[in-house]
Amino acid sequence: MTSIVPAPVARQPWMMLFPLVGLIAFGALVLTSAAAGDFSRYAESHLIRFAIFLTMAIVISRFSKDLVTFFAYPSYIVILLLLMAVEIMGTLGGGSQRWLEVGPIRIQPSELMKPAVVVALARFYDTLPVGMVPTWRALIPAGALIMFPMAFVLLQPDLGTSLAIGFGGGLVMFFAGLPLRWFLMAGAAGLAAIPFAFFFALKPYQQDRVTTFLDPESDPLGEGYQITQSKIAIGSGGLSGKGFNEGSQSHLNYLPEPHTDFVFATMAEEWGLMGGLFVIGCFALILGWGFKVARDSTDRMGKLLAAGMTATIFFFVAINLMMVMGFAPVVGIPLPFVSHGGSSMMTNMMCIGVLMMVNRWNRNAPRRGLLS
């Protein structure tokens, strides 16, 4: 029987698109409230950016494996050079040197590196013979691909983005099949290095963020102010919230950054537990679809690309939610598809585009018979 739904429509990944559009629309509603009912202040640009970057994601979804393979390393090298250029001629903003400006163009290379390092690692492991995976040949080059950009991003300084690059790259290495004992050893070494990193690698304000996270009530009007006000906003929302545009924490300027890093707290105060469950449920559907794309891929590179991009989005979501609830230090990571901001939207929509691309590869892959 012929379906009444046209084939091009039926082929779209609606399992991901519906919750994605739901998050974008709900985010626009929350951003309107964060601007005291002014739609044009944050929500309008939020929707325009989504339309632009959705178009970009659709273009990325049409890329072939040969094209991705060809540009994987050159793209990584170009973005790494841009990170180096940030140290020489980068623009200062908010106490950090993260942007490059050329005329009207303003880019943040560290955001581009998050998906780029995943693509480069997927390309590396796709060409590495399986027999070499348990050897140093699978570890040293991949570790260098991750550590170089992490080091330059830490110099900006941007701890959150550096951790995001490391997390996405580390997950690709894990799914590539590197021995589990290597990850356990790296974890043990990381724990042992925490005191050294705290006293010698972190800036004073970053040290304050860590100590404040451990005991925010010790300085409720200083370093602990953000976390304290965020928890008050979330807790005061109750089951169903105070109602749209009725949040006192954001409207009376108690809650810092109500439209970016702490947008979830803004939402929770006005929409309560029900709104929080909606947001988390949408993310669960998107991430679940991403891991399904990775699981269904019979292509090694496609599997690693899908797993790495899904892990990158997961990192953003997990750290932001833990941060606003007081379970992680404040590291300046926005909530994907909900927070206002072009860089975050661009990065996460690039990840979505790559996932759509791998999903198309899976759909077009030859089906193996029962006896094959």
Side-chain angles (χ1 to χ4, degrees), residues 339-361:
S339 292
H340 181 264
S343 296
S344 171
M345 179 75 77
M346 177 189 67
T347 301
N348 287 290
M349 288 306 296
M350 288 177 69
C351 293
I352 291 292
V354 173
L355 285 169
M356 294 171 65
M357 175 186 72
V358 177
N359 185 58
R360 184 177 62 83
W361 293 355

Side-chain angles (χ1 to χ4, degrees), residues 9-302:
V9 176
R11 284 198 300 265
Q12 302 309 311
W14 298 110
M15 188 179 191
M16 175 274 297
L17 288 175
F18 279 131
L20 175 62
V21 172
L23 280 175
I24 293 293
F26 192 39
L29 198 62
V30 175
L31 290 174
T32 301
S33 178
D38 185 356
F39 174 80
S40 63
R41 188 174 180 185
Y42 301 130
E44 184 177 28
S45 58
H46 177 73
L47 295 177
I48 291 173
R49 285 166 176 162
F50 173 67
I52 294 172
F53 291 130
L54 179 61
T55 303
M56 176 197 68
I58 293 172
V59 172
I60 292 174
S61 73
R62 307 308 301 172
F63 290 174
S64 66
K65 181 185 175 181
D66 290 340
L67 186 65
V68 175
T69 300
F70 180 80
F71 281 106
Y73 290 149
S75 299
Y76 172 90
I77 292 171
V78 168
I79 298 171
L80 187 62
L81 291 174
L82 291 176
L83 282 175
M84 296 179 185
V86 168
E87 297 304 313
I88 301 172
M89 60 185 73
T91 302
L92 287 171
S96 299
Q97 189 171 334
R98 303 177 185 177
W99 293 270
L100 287 175
E101 289 187 357
V102 181
I105 301 176
R106 178 183 170 97
I107 61 172
Q108 187 175 350
S110 59
E111 288 291 332
L112 297 173
M113 183 54 78
K114 294 172 188 174
V117 75
V118 171
V119 175
L121 287 169
R123 167 77 170 84
F124 171 72
Y125 285 116
D126 184 51
T127 56
L128 188 72
V130 177
M132 290 187 179
V133 171
T135 71
W136 65 270
R137 296 177 184 273
L139 178 64
I140 303 301
L145 287 172
I146 297 172
M147 296 308 296
F148 277 118
M150 284 187 68
F152 281 111
V153 173
L154 280 174
L155 290 175
Q156 296 181 358
D158 189 349
L159 178 61
T161 299
S162 178
L163 292 175
I165 293 172
F167 185 82
L171 259 292
V172 173
M173 296 173 73
F174 177 79
F175 286 115
L178 271 66
L180 180 61
R181 67 178 183 277
W182 290 0
F183 294 94
L184 296 177
M185 292 167 60
L191 289 174
I194 286 178
F196 173 83
F198 180 83
F199 290 107
F200 299 103
L202 297 184
K203 303 287 185 181
Y205 78 91
Q206 293 173 325
Q207 293 177 349
D208 291 340
R209 287 180 176 179
V210 174
T211 54
T212 299
F213 153 67
L214 296 174
D215 186 15
E217 284 73 22
S218 62
D219 189 12
L221 298 180
E223 293 296 332
Y225 183 79
Q226 289 178 308
I227 296 177
T228 300
Q229 296 302 321
S230 176
K231 290 194 289 186
I232 290 174
I234 294 172
S236 64
L239 180 62
S240 57
K242 297 176 179 178
F244 173 70
N245 212 22
E246 296 295 332
S248 58
Q249 291 298 108
S250 58
H251 292 168
L252 298 179
N253 297 321
Y254 288 111
L255 182 65
E257 306 295 335
H259 61 294
T260 53
D261 295 352
F262 290 88
V263 71
F264 185 83
T266 302
M267 180 281 304
E269 183 181 21
E270 297 189 353
W271 298 89
L273 177 63
M274 302 305 295
L277 291 176
F278 173 79
V279 170
I280 294 173
C282 286
F283 280 124
L285 290 173
I286 294 171
L287 295 171
W289 173 79
F291 281 118
K292 181 179 183 299
V293 171
R295 186 175 63 250
D296 291 346
S297 180
T298 57
D299 179 82
R300 191 180 186 189
M301 185 170 182

